[in-house]
Structure formats: C-alpha cells, structure tokens
Amino acid sequence: MIKVGIVDDDALVRSGIRTVLNNAPDVRVVGEAGNGVGAVELVRVHNPHVLMMDIRMPVVDGLAATEQIRRFSPDTLVVLLTATASYRQVRRGVRAGVAGFLLKDGDPHELIAAVRAAATGAAVVSPPVTRVLLDRVATIEVEPLDRAKALVDRLTPREREVLALVGKGLGNLQIARRLFVSEGAVKAHVSNLLTKLSCENRVQAAIMAYQATLTA
C-alpha cells in the first residue's frame, strides 16, 4: 500500500485529489495539510511514501517545505503540483530533490499514475514541464552541455542505456523489462550512474540525459 500525503491551500483541491486517489486500491491517503508548515508536520507524523504538494502556498511554499522535508525524511518522495511551470521553480525543485512535477489541470488518472511511478523510483514530469526543461537546455551555454557529455562518456554502455531510459521517465521495473535484466540490476546501475554523474536524484539524471542528447 502506498501511503500518500496531500498538501494544498485550497480545500476543494485537496478534496478532489483525495477522491481520485481513494479510487486506487493500492493507494491510501494518510494526511492532508494547507501549507508548508503543515506539510512538514504531516511527514513527521504520518511518514508518507509520496507527498503530493502544491508549489504556491501561504506561510511556507511547496519548494521551501520540500527543502526542509528532504533534510529529515529523504525517503519521502515529493511530487510538486503546479498550475504553470517556470524554469526557476523547476530548477529549485530539482535541486531540492523532488521526485517530479505534475500540472494541476492534468487528467485525474495522471495523479494515480504519478503516485505509483514515484513510489517505484521513476521521475514524474508532465510533458509541459519537460518542455520547460528542454527549452532551457537549448539556450544554455555550451560548457555545461560539454560537461554533461564528458560525464556521460565515463559511464559503461549499459549505464548509458539505463540513463537514456531514466531520461524518458521510466521506472526501474519498466527499465528492467525493456533491457531484459533484473530490477535489482537496474537499481545497481542507477545508483552507480547517479554517483558518476554527481546527481542526487533521477530528475537531475534525466536532465543530464537531455543535455548529453541521449533522449529526444
């Protein structure tokens, strides 16, 4: 059972998310909060596997809350919800170690899929947010791109294959099936490539894959 926390300053939004998630037999909503302060307390008390949290909230926003939560509960996977996505928000979220970004106006089934994907270690990124990342990558200086390619070149052929699939948002089980290897082997490859690339999480690795042109 995947334990989920919901954080949004709009009670109607929280109710809607709760209703959608409660329809999934493998998901259980264990707590809710209306701002970042409440989010921190929610995680301390209920220890959810996945936290679905709005970015823009009063008192303490979702980004600041994520930074706090990741310090004392690194195993809690935070998926940030947003109506729009700016590169500044995405960059700060990535640095904070979020599991992904999801647009609020997406299909309800995307919420359930996002929770399940995050719980398996997959990077959860809505297509419009991916577009923000790609547009930014296309305009940044050549030096970071060259650095990304140099780091990726240090990977083994198998690690590069795994990184390319991480860049496409696949989870460990999906990658294992695609490459006809065990899920344990994929976890080991992911751990190794994160270390070699100096990435803290899969979202950062996915960006590195884009920078090194492993994905399109």
Side-chain angles (χ1 to χ4, degrees), residues 31-77:
E32 299 179 24
N35 56 51
V37 174
V40 172
E41 183 64 18
L42 188 162
V43 172
R44 290 189 186 279
V45 173
H46 297 288
N47 192 29
H49 299 117
V50 179
L51 191 68
M52 309 293 286
M53 180 159 57
D54 189 18
I55 289 183
R56 297 173 184 243
M57 294 182 295
V59 187
V60 174
D61 66 22
L63 290 167
T66 297
E67 291 165 348
Q68 293 181 46
I69 290 166
R70 294 291 296 169
R71 284 196 289 269
F72 74 84
S73 184
D75 291 334
T76 297
L77 301 162

Side-chain angles (χ1 to χ4, degrees), residues 178-197:
R178 184 77 64 90
L179 298 180
F180 302 103
V181 297
S182 70
E183 188 175 4
V186 173
K187 289 180 180 179
H189 287 312
V190 170
S191 177
N192 289 338
L193 69 86
L194 288 178
T195 298
K196 291 181 180 179
L197 298 177

Side-chain angles (χ1 to χ4, degrees), residues 9-206:
D9 61 315
D10 189 327
L12 288 177
V13 171
R14 295 200 305 272
S15 177
I17 294 174
R18 182 176 66 249
T19 298
V20 170
L21 295 182
N22 281 339
N23 287 326
D26 56 337
V27 176
R28 179 165 61 94
V29 176
V30 296
E32 299 179 24
N35 56 51
V37 174
V40 172
E41 183 64 18
L42 188 162
V43 172
R44 290 189 186 279
V45 173
H46 297 288
N47 192 29
H49 299 117
V50 179
L51 191 68
M52 309 293 286
M53 180 159 57
D54 189 18
I55 289 183
R56 297 173 184 243
M57 294 182 295
V59 187
V60 174
D61 66 22
L63 290 167
T66 297
E67 291 165 348
Q68 293 181 46
I69 290 166
R70 294 291 296 169
R71 284 196 289 269
F72 74 84
S73 184
D75 291 334
T76 297
L77 301 162
V78 180
V79 177
L80 293 175
L81 305 173
T82 181
T84 59
S86 71
Y87 178 71
R88 180 173 295 182
Q89 290 174 329
V90 173
R91 180 181 62 182
R92 186 176 169 191
V94 168
R95 289 179 174 175
V98 300
F101 300 84
L102 198 65
L103 294 187
K104 284 186 172 183
D105 60 359
D107 187 281
H109 296 293
E110 289 183 3
L111 279 173
I112 297 174
V115 166
R116 289 171 175 161
T120 63
V124 180
V125 185
S126 292
V129 179
T130 301
R131 185 72 263 162
V132 170
L133 291 172
L134 290 178
D135 288 345
R136 180 65 178 186
V137 167
T139 60
I140 62 178
E141 297 177 358
V142 174
E143 183 178 350
L145 300 181
D146 288 342
R147 178 178 178 275
K149 291 176 181 178
L151 288 173
V152 169
D153 283 344
R154 298 177 186 175
L155 302 180
T156 66
R158 178 61 87 186
E159 288 168 350
R160 284 197 293 273
E161 286 183 295
V162 172
L163 177 61
L165 295 175
V166 168
K168 294 180 183 295
L170 274 64
N172 289 343
L173 182 58
Q174 293 171 302
I175 294 173
R177 289 172 176 170
R178 184 77 64 90
L179 298 180
F180 302 103
V181 297
S182 70
E183 188 175 4
V186 173
K187 289 180 180 179
H189 287 312
V190 170
S191 177
N192 289 338
L193 69 86
L194 288 178
T195 298
K196 291 181 180 179
L197 298 177
S198 298
C199 291
E200 295 182 4
N201 54 64
R202 297 172 78 102
V203 176
Q204 291 181 358

